[in-house]
Amino acid sequence: MQNRDRYFKGQEDNETLVCFTRQHWIVLLPDLIFFMIFIAFVTVSIVNLPEIKAWVASGIEGKTVFLITFIIATLYFHRFFIKILNYFLCVEIITDKRLIEHHKTVFFKDLMDAIDLSQIQNIEMNMDGFLPNIFKYGKITIFLNSSSAVRTFTYVTNVQFHFRCINRQKTALQSGDIV
């Protein structure tokens, strides 16, 4: 079966995509709250536009403050939307042979790290706290055979499903079955 690069770049021949996940949306919540506050500030500024225009036209200090505010607002919008795009670019992929962590940003970073399922010694799932239990996200910790290396995936969406999925694929690989 020719699956090379079919569903994601780096997919090997005879490797089947099982599922993928990205961090839970709750990691974006602080940024979304600040963005809503910022939008409220912009809305109030637009409502008071005649007073702001008069103040800016009155002198050099008004023009300077307006320019600095405009630059800060532009940079904030840029940072916010880049963070949203980066959120959607970073994924964890589970295949029948590997667990792949792909961290990519819009501009500078493109990291792909893979763990062979045969190298996994133990897997732990953790959903401690009120919010993780309400919103069904948590942490998956993977202990590897070859060394004392530990990999932790935080804010995993639907952590119980992905924990069972990794366990099922690991067991199928060890027993020689194909799931």
Side-chain angles (χ1 to χ4, degrees), residues 68-115:
I68 291 170
T69 304
F70 182 77
I71 290 170
I72 290 171
T74 302
L75 291 174
Y76 178 73
F77 269 111
H78 178 73
R79 183 191 155 278
F80 175 75
F81 287 111
I82 291 297
K83 187 152 187 163
I84 296 290
L85 289 173
N86 289 343
Y87 169 78
F88 285 104
L89 290 175
C90 295
V91 294
E92 286 83 26
I93 303 167
I94 302 171
T95 69
D96 59 343
K97 296 179 182 179
R98 300 183 292 167
L99 179 61
I100 302 163
E101 183 177 22
H102 190 190
H103 283 280
K104 185 176 173 95
T105 62
V106 175
F107 295 120
F108 299 115
K109 187 161 101 174
D110 189 5
L111 300 173
M112 189 176 263
D113 191 19
I115 300 170

Side-chain angles (χ1 to χ4, degrees), residues 6-162:
R6 182 174 182 181
Y7 294 111
F8 61 92
K9 189 172 183 161
Q11 183 176 3
E12 298 174 354
D13 289 333
N14 299 323
E15 183 176 38
T16 306
L17 174 71
V18 176
C19 67
F20 77 96
T21 185
R22 60 179 47 96
Q23 287 189 323
H24 197 270
W25 60 265
I26 205 153
V27 300
L28 293 175
L29 193 59
D31 292 310
L32 290 172
I33 290 171
F34 285 123
F35 185 72
M36 292 301 167
I37 292 169
F38 181 75
I39 292 297
F41 177 74
V42 168
T43 303
V44 168
S45 298
I46 290 173
V47 168
N48 297 321
L49 194 59
E51 292 88 10
I52 293 172
K53 283 173 71 174
W55 183 70
V56 168
S58 68
I60 190 72
E61 36 311 305
K63 290 178 176 127
T64 305
V65 169
F66 177 77
L67 180 65
I68 291 170
T69 304
F70 182 77
I71 290 170
I72 290 171
T74 302
L75 291 174
Y76 178 73
F77 269 111
H78 178 73
R79 183 191 155 278
F80 175 75
F81 287 111
I82 291 297
K83 187 152 187 163
I84 296 290
L85 289 173
N86 289 343
Y87 169 78
F88 285 104
L89 290 175
C90 295
V91 294
E92 286 83 26
I93 303 167
I94 302 171
T95 69
D96 59 343
K97 296 179 182 179
R98 300 183 292 167
L99 179 61
I100 302 163
E101 183 177 22
H102 190 190
H103 283 280
K104 185 176 173 95
T105 62
V106 175
F107 295 120
F108 299 115
K109 187 161 101 174
D110 189 5
L111 300 173
M112 189 176 263
D113 191 19
I115 300 170
D116 287 335
L117 292 177
S118 60
Q119 296 296 318
I120 295 176
Q121 179 180 359
N122 193 16
I123 306 170
E124 288 182 0
M125 176 190 75
N126 188 345
M127 280 179 45
D128 288 340
F130 180 71
L131 288 178
N133 282 300
I134 294 294
F135 293 117
K136 303 288 186 222
Y137 69 89
K139 177 170 66 170
I140 293 179
T141 306
I142 297 176
F143 300 93
L144 301 176
N145 287 339
S146 58
S147 64
S148 60
V150 176
R151 294 296 313 261
T152 302
F153 299 96
T154 57
Y155 295 102
V156 177
T157 306
N158 198 358
V159 69
Q160 294 171 334
F161 169 78
H162 291 97

